[in-house]
Amino acid sequence: MVDVIALGEPLVQFNSFTSGPLRFVNYFEKHIAGSELNFCIAVIRNHLSCGLIARVGNDEFGRNIIEYSRAQGIDTTYIKVDKETFTGIYFIQRGYPIPMKSELIYYRKGSAGSRLSPEDVDETYIRSARLVHSTGITLAISDSAKEAVIKAFELAKSRSLDTNIRPKLWSSLEKARETILPILKKYDIEVLVTDPDDTKILLDVTDPDDAYRKYKELGVKVLLYKLGAKGAMAYKDNVKAFKEGYKVQVEDPTGAGDAMAGTFISLYLQGKGIEYSLAHGIAASTIVITVRGDNELTPTTEDAERFLNEFKT
Ligand code: ADP
Ligand code: CKP
Ligand code: MG
Ligand code: MG
């Protein structure tokens, strides 16, 4: 039994060793990632237990994902090996054409991870957790994965969702909106993690206060509103917190949101206020973007504390 459960597709990441268009990149560095796996690691670094419900292929990458997850302390009991198909992968193109930004190029259609289905969701396991988390990525990759999230949300004590709208994974932005909005309406979301781009698609607003008002009407209790380099905001009971981003050398921003979400939610569940949880979320995301890899450097609560006390820019 674990405190937190996440549902999603773990992936093998091939990160460009040099920046520029992929055709000129000669070396790739392998990392284990995927939004919900990154999230789980952040939850664990902040001292709650976390399980990942997922599928991987019966291949070396699948074994790599399971062993890595186990090594990071994730409960892998419900990571199933699907013999029918392969483990999804993706490449990261860094710093081109926009400096300090990354582009994700997926090879995941028909992957084992996308075959996640309601039969993978164990009722007793879900009911025992304090919170169940997923993202718009899992809602996008297949109907069966979406149904798995819906089943888990139905059984969950409480829920968090990161909208993470990936236009490449949806047939249209309309479809993303039509899928995500009803889920926000139907289930009480304890913590919603999102940003202005996704909120524009979902609610046609970007202003943080407008977004909070509208999400609250839909039943969201706590809103974590990420503003990229500018920092992030958090709202609860009409109280808002803002923390500015830090100026650091950005190697690869991929995974920043997940480090922040897992950190914020883990601390919030431990009774910390939104201001404290937000500061730690910012610390985690700032450290993560200074390197390739989405989760290796996600700090523990204590290391984030040191960052917040000692790092000034
Ligand atoms: P996501 O990774 O989900 O797209 P964001 O891009 O909003 O999420 O990043 C989450 C957090 O990571 C931000 O709130 C900020 O603290 C940090 N961050 C992201 N990009 C930068 C950047 N270029 N400079 C400094 N901090 C950043
Ligand atoms: O929003 P983030 O940059 O925090 O998300 C990064 C993850 O799952 C990354 O690990 C990638 O595999 C993905 O999002 C995705 O499917 O896009
Ligand atoms: Mg971003
Ligand atoms: Mg994100």
Side-chain angles (χ1 to χ4, degrees):
M1 298 303 123
V2 290
D3 296 309
V4 176
I5 294 172
L7 291 91
E9 179 173 17
L11 295 160
V12 172
Q13 170 190 104
F14 291 94
N15 206 318
S16 296
F17 197 67
T18 50
S19 52
L22 277 195
R23 77 197 119 115
F24 297 120
V25 175
N26 296 314
Y27 295 99
F28 294 93
E29 190 178 78
K30 187 184 65 170
H31 294 270
I32 301 300
S35 180
E36 296 83 1
L37 178 146
N38 298 337
F39 172 90
C40 275
I41 291 177
V43 167
I44 290 165
R45 300 268 160 93
N46 288 282
H47 313 304
L48 290 185
S49 56
C50 193
L52 183 63
I53 300 182
R55 288 193 190 197
V56 296
N58 183 21
D59 47 33
E60 280 303 316
F61 290 156
R63 289 187 269 283
N64 198 168
I65 286 170
I66 292 174
E67 287 173 10
Y68 182 79
S69 299
R70 202 176 279 143
Q72 304 317 313
I74 295 175
D75 178 15
T76 59
T77 312
Y78 292 96
I79 303 184
K80 202 183 260 181
V81 176
D82 185 329
K83 296 205 168 69
E84 299 295 315
T85 181
F86 62 95
T87 303
I89 66 166
Y90 67 113
F91 292 81
I92 300 187
Q93 171 170 305
R94 293 188 300 107
Y96 183 89
I98 316 291
M100 298 195 291
K101 297 268 185 204
S102 294
E103 206 172 301
L104 310 186
I105 297 99
Y106 302 122
Y107 292 82
R108 66 194 297 180
K109 207 175 167 55
S111 66
S114 70
R115 284 158 53 90
L116 181 71
S117 97
E119 75 196 45
D120 304 335
V121 177
D122 183 272
E123 183 172 339
T124 316
Y125 189 60
I126 294 286
R127 283 194 196 281
S128 70
R130 294 172 61 186
L131 176 129
V132 172
H133 176 85
S134 197
T135 73
I137 298 166
T138 313
L139 298 175
I141 51 178
S142 69
D143 280 342
S144 68
K146 180 186 75 183
E147 293 306 327
V149 174
I150 290 173
K151 178 178 175 189
F153 274 12
E154 197 70 52
L155 298 165
K157 279 196 197 114
S158 81
R159 305 150 199 90
S160 57
L161 184 77
D162 181 340
T163 54
N164 257 347
I165 298 178
R166 302 285 193 254
K168 283 180 185 172
L169 299 179
W170 294 98
S171 52
S172 68
L173 297 180
E174 191 83 323
K175 177 80 180 160
R177 184 164 55 81
E178 285 168 7
T179 305
I180 298 172
L181 263 191
I183 291 174
L184 285 182
K185 282 187 188 143
K186 177 148 190 215
Y187 300 101
D188 286 339
I189 304 292
E190 184 71 30
V191 183
L192 181 72
V193 181
T194 189
D195 63 19
D197 287 348
D198 288 6
T199 303
K200 176 82 188 153
I201 295 165
L202 294 172
L203 302 172
D204 201 28
V205 299
T206 52
D207 175 74
D209 289 355
D210 291 344
Y212 175 58
R213 192 170 33 80
K214 291 204 169 197
Y215 283 127
K216 193 155 61 94
E217 278 167 18
L218 296 174
V220 169
K221 199 161 160 206
V222 175
L223 175 66
L224 178 58
Y225 205 65
K226 297 166 298 156
L227 305 169
K230 293 198 195 95
M233 310 184 67
Y235 291 81
K236 186 191 176 218
D237 297 331
N238 297 318
V239 175
K240 92 175 140 183
F242 166 71
K243 184 156 172 71
E244 215 177 299
Y246 288 83
K247 284 179 192 62
V248 289
Q249 192 108 21
V250 180
E251 177 76 359
D252 174 17
T254 315
D258 305 327
M260 169 173 277
T263 300
F264 180 93
I265 289 168
S266 186
L267 293 169
Y268 173 71
L269 286 175
Q270 292 170 73
K272 302 294 186 191
I274 56 168
E275 201 149 329
Y276 177 97
S277 306
L278 178 64
H280 278 252
I282 294 267
S285 59
T286 305
I287 297 170
V288 161
I289 64 176
T290 63
V291 293
R292 300 181 295 277
D294 293 10
N295 53 59
E296 291 89 340
L297 267 64
T298 303
T300 59
T301 312
E302 296 70 25
D303 286 348
E305 203 73 56
R306 271 195 68 190
F307 171 99
L308 292 165
N309 287 329
E310 294 175 32
F311 187 69
K312 308 284 173 217
T313 54

